[in-house]
Amino acid sequence: MPQPTVVCSDLSFTWPDGQSVLDGLDVTVPPGRTGLIGANGCGKSTLLRLLAGELAPTRGSVSVVGLSAYLPQRLDAEVADRLDDLLGIAGPRRALRRILAGDLDPQLYDLVGADWDVEERAALALAQLGLGHLDLDRPVDTLSGGERVLVALGARLLRRPDVLLLDEPTNNLDRRARAHLIDAVEAFRGVLLVVSHDRELLEHVDQVAELRSGRVRIVGGTYSAYLEVVEQEQATAEQRVRTADAAVRRERRDLQEQVTKQARRDRYGRLDAKRSGMPKMMADARKRRAQESAARIGGVHEDRVAKAKQALEAAEEALRDDAPIRVDLPGTVVPAGRTTLRLSDLHLPTGQVVDLELRGPERVALVGANGVGKTTLLRAVAGQLTVEGVCLTPVPVGYLPQSVDLLDPSRSVLDALSTLAPTSTPGQVRARLARLHLRGRSVEQPVETLSGGERFRATLAALLLAEPPPQLLLLDEPTNNLDLASVARLGEALSAYRGALLVVSHDETFLGELGLTRRLELTEAGLAEGDPLGS
């Protein structure tokens, strides 16, 4: 069988409304595990759908050699009643049972084909994904979101694909499920292309492919190796920008000096002609020669300035627009002894009775299996649920839900923020937004028209710049659906935050960057203290 390959040639795709996503893309995905990264909206999921055959190119070609399998980011369209339906083995399984019961219908044998061991292989695949406890007859609607993702992955692996395409597979997976998925990725042999913002998963790939400005470039090694390459490139680019900027200033200075010298020579020439009584014809000829000479010299200098500007623009194009966020929020400072949260005999709808007290600027991670009630607990603290027991929040609270829908999509960023900060002038709101790299026209356009990164920064601004400023932040899976640059920006903003944090997240890399003081695990029995580092 030929070596499995994935090749795109002059690949272009435009949506029916005229929006172009990819234009003339050429890329060959190498063997092994490749992590595909890029800003939200750059076309990563569209590229996977083109490779999977769900979309047809507007121009160009896609070549996938070998059997392929595709796991989309959303599984809503996969209708299945039982687990064996979701695995895609319900038909062969029923046929096997009828054959074993004595039915000799040839169509049953055709339906089984070579899958006589399908139940054993399915059980093994589920066990390798940490789902060995699930029965093949179990109703799909009793599965958690994470279990459904892993079962869907198991269905793809049962097909024994040569090419495996995964789109953000770790979204909404808890820590245990992520570990099993990473094991499956490491064990896969063939061509694997995974779109992901999960830095832990990206440490288990063989190369990183970055989709940026409509082009893909591949860097060998894990995400850490990729970051080292980018850091070195940016250091070189910054030096080139400084050198090119200095050259522009030097050429402009030389041009100005030349203009000044020529003006001085012209003035002396006119005085000399007047003193010497030079005939007007000769004086005019001398003046023309001087002007022509000045024009030639000036043209040379202007050409040098233009070339220096072009060099500067080329150098600046190599710089990434990933400027760090620096947020000075003095109003969020919490004294060390001040109580920020007190829960006493709090009865959650999920059955647990919770007691918890946070004091001062504690930074606490709330972890636990999917479905155990972490979001429910955050909503209770945020006042969005009526619960029995004591829930005191003596300080202003900010809550960022998983849906990230704090802003009215039809309003401009400036209008939305002005409502949240009624005592601030529009100029002050603009200044605050600028610190989160929202400037100019972007703050005046509707939220729904912003890019993914801009919308995230606007939401972050709404959370952090509200009046009064929050001294306790509740964050529910804040890195879900964020691209890697936005995750970095979130980490920078939280580093500058001086209030208390209560964060629900399965992203261990992100949690490790927060400087946690405590780690709490919510189980069916209640809250338990854990290692802040998660080890």
Side-chain angles (χ1 to χ4, degrees):
M1 180 179 173
Q3 178 80 13
T5 58
V6 175
V7 179
C8 301
S9 300
D10 191 30
L11 179 62
S12 300
F13 181 78
T14 302
W15 291 107
D17 64 2
Q19 180 185 2
S20 177
V21 182
L22 301 171
D23 185 14
L25 179 68
D26 294 305
V27 62
T28 299
V29 181
R33 300 176 295 271
T34 302
L36 179 60
I37 65 172
N40 285 344
C42 71
K44 304 185 298 297
S45 294
T46 302
L47 177 57
L48 250 62
R49 293 181 66 187
L50 286 162
L51 295 177
E54 283 200 355
L55 297 173
T58 306
R59 189 183 75 243
S61 64
V62 171
S63 172
V64 178
V65 176
L67 178 65
S68 66
Y70 166 55
L71 183 68
Q73 192 171 152
R74 298 179 63 88
L75 299 172
D76 300 344
E78 298 195 352
V79 178
D81 295 324
R82 301 186 317 177
L83 193 144
D84 61 354
D85 286 323
L86 191 56
L87 284 171
I89 63 170
R93 194 166 172 247
R94 284 193 294 269
L96 268 173
R97 291 187 175 184
R98 289 178 59 183
I99 291 172
L100 293 176
D103 194 332
L104 301 180
D105 187 343
Q107 291 185 350
L108 296 177
Y109 287 84
D110 291 338
L111 186 58
V112 172
D115 288 331
W116 293 94
D117 62 343
V118 66
E119 290 196 356
E120 290 78 7
R121 289 196 297 110
L124 177 60
L126 291 176
Q128 290 174 336
L129 292 169
L131 302 175
H133 61 286
L134 296 181
D135 188 273
L136 292 176
D137 295 317
R138 178 166 173 170
V140 168
D141 59 10
T142 66
L143 299 176
S144 70
E147 287 173 335
R148 181 164 180 167
V149 170
L150 290 179
V151 171
L153 174 61
R156 275 69 179 174
L157 295 176
L158 278 175
R159 302 173 194 168
R160 300 187 177 110
D162 304 296
V163 177
L164 184 58
L165 309 171
L166 307 178
D167 193 357
E168 297 287 5
T170 60
N171 275 3
N172 305 312
L173 295 188
D174 59 27
R175 188 180 180 189
R176 179 173 173 272
R178 284 184 182 216
H180 286 298
L181 185 138
I182 288 173
D183 288 342
V185 166
E186 285 198 313
F188 185 77
R189 296 294 176 264
V191 176
L192 185 147
L193 182 61
V194 54
V195 171
S196 183
H197 67 273
D198 186 325
R199 290 172 289 179
E200 184 178 4
L201 172 59
L202 292 172
E203 289 302 322
H204 295 270
V205 299
D206 302 308
Q207 52 266 328
V208 172
E210 182 186 30
L211 178 56
R212 184 183 179 92
S213 300
R215 296 292 176 264
V216 171
R217 73 146 178 179
I218 297 176
V219 176
T222 66
Y223 183 65
S224 293
Y226 158 82
L227 285 180
E228 289 181 6
V229 170
V230 170
E231 185 177 353
Q232 293 171 359
E233 289 176 346
Q234 289 305 287
T236 301
E238 288 170 0
Q239 180 58 50
R240 286 176 177 169
V241 167
R242 288 193 293 269
T243 301
D245 186 55
V248 169
R249 292 197 303 271
R250 183 176 62 252
E251 294 298 343
R252 281 175 172 167
R253 187 173 57 249
D254 289 348
L255 175 58
Q256 184 59 46
E257 289 177 356
Q258 176 59 36
V259 169
T260 302
K261 288 179 181 178
Q262 187 60 45
R264 187 181 302 119
R265 283 195 294 267
D266 290 346
R267 186 171 62 254
Y268 289 156
R270 288 194 298 269
L271 291 173
D272 182 57
K274 187 175 181 180
R275 282 195 299 264
S276 64
M278 184 180 298
K280 185 176 185 304
M281 184 178 295
M282 293 180 61
D284 289 344
R286 182 177 179 181
K287 180 180 179 181
R288 282 195 303 274
R289 289 195 298 270
Q291 289 174 338
E292 292 169 356
S293 176
R296 285 195 300 272
I297 296 173
V300 169
H301 282 281
E302 288 175 355
D303 185 54
R304 288 176 179 174
V305 171
K307 289 181 178 179
K309 286 181 178 179
Q310 290 175 359
L312 176 58
E313 291 172 359
E316 288 175 337
E317 285 180 1
L319 283 176
R320 293 171 176 259
D321 185 20
D322 294 337
I325 288 176
R326 294 289 180 261
V327 183
D328 182 20
L329 298 169
T332 64
V333 175
V334 178
R338 184 171 187 180
T339 298
T340 57
L341 175 64
R342 179 179 293 128
L343 307 179
S344 179
D345 202 30
L346 190 76
H347 289 68
L348 296 177
T350 45
Q352 299 95 331
V353 179
V354 174
D355 295 286
L356 174 64
E357 184 171 13
L358 302 184
R359 298 176 68 85
E362 290 198 73
R363 304 171 84 83
V364 181
L366 178 62
V367 300
N370 281 344
V372 76
K374 302 184 298 296
T375 295
T376 301
L377 177 55
L378 286 192
R379 292 187 64 203
V381 174
Q384 295 189 358
L385 288 177
T386 301
V387 292
E388 180 185 343
V390 177
C391 178
L392 295 177
T393 52
V395 298
V397 177
Y399 175 45
L400 184 66
Q402 289 189 37
S403 56
V404 195
D405 55 1
L406 298 182
L407 300 176
D408 183 342
S410 64
R411 300 183 65 186
S412 72
V413 178
L414 186 60
D415 287 344
L417 265 293
S418 295
T419 301
L420 295 171
T423 65
S424 299
T425 66
Q428 290 172 327
V429 173
R430 283 181 179 274
R432 293 174 182 177
L433 289 170
R435 283 144 62 187
L436 279 82
H437 310 304
L438 288 168
R439 302 181 178 88
R441 294 179 60 188
S442 64
V443 306
E444 298 172 351
Q445 62 192 80
V447 172
E448 62 190 356
T449 65
L450 299 176
S451 69
E454 289 172 332
R455 187 176 304 189
F456 165 71
R457 291 198 296 275
T459 302
L460 192 60
L463 187 69
L464 295 176
L465 304 180
E467 296 176 2
Q471 294 182 320
L472 170 62
L473 277 183
L474 311 174
L475 308 178
D476 193 358
E477 294 290 358
T479 62
N480 270 9
N481 303 311
L482 294 184
D483 57 43
L484 289 161
S486 294
V487 172
R489 302 296 82 80
L490 175 62
E492 291 159 1
L494 294 180
S495 296
Y497 179 70
R498 293 296 173 258
L501 285 175
L502 182 57
V503 184
V504 169
S505 180
H506 296 305
D507 188 336
E508 290 295 330
T509 305
F510 172 72
L511 290 176
E513 295 171 346
L514 293 183
L516 297 177
T517 57
R518 296 169 69 185
R519 185 185 185 94
L520 301 173
E521 182 174 4
L522 184 63
T523 67
E524 293 181 357
L527 277 178
E529 293 279 351
D531 184 344
L533 299 179
S535 60

